[in-house]
Amino acid sequence: MKRTMTLNLTEAEMNAVEQMCVQKGLSKIALVRQSLRLYKSVDERLSRGDKVFVENADKSEKAELLVL
């Protein structure tokens, strides 16, 4: 079962969504769904007390991801 939601964004937020859609080749709804799955995954790990890191491809740089 699908449900409908209306989302009001600022101009800057909508521009960011549209730019990411173009970069990723996704529709707006696909981007929102992918974002929700990512956020849920990160949130579950943080809730367990895990730390989440972002690592540079050449592994020379690593930073902890903080969710506010």
Side-chain angles (χ1 to χ4, degrees):
M1 178 171 129
K2 292 187 179 184
R3 296 171 56 190
T4 301
M5 176 180 78
T6 300
L7 179 63
N8 294 310
L9 300 174
T10 65
E11 186 72 24
E13 291 165 338
M14 183 57 84
N15 289 340
V17 167
E18 290 170 342
Q19 181 181 10
M20 288 170 42
C21 286
V22 169
Q23 290 172 345
K24 301 292 182 187
L26 298 171
S27 67
K28 290 176 187 166
I29 192 63
L31 180 75
V32 169
R33 287 178 176 147
Q34 187 178 69
S35 300
L36 287 171
R37 286 191 302 273
L38 174 62
Y39 186 84
K40 185 175 185 291
S41 174
V42 169
D43 188 56
E44 287 172 353
R45 288 178 177 269
L46 293 174
S47 294
R48 291 193 310 250
D50 294 347
K51 290 185 178 183
V52 179
F53 291 91
V54 177
E55 189 173 42
N56 194 347
D58 66 8
K59 306 202 189 259
S60 65
E61 190 177 313
K62 187 185 211 180
E64 184 176 354
L65 179 65
L66 300 175
V67 178
L68 306 174

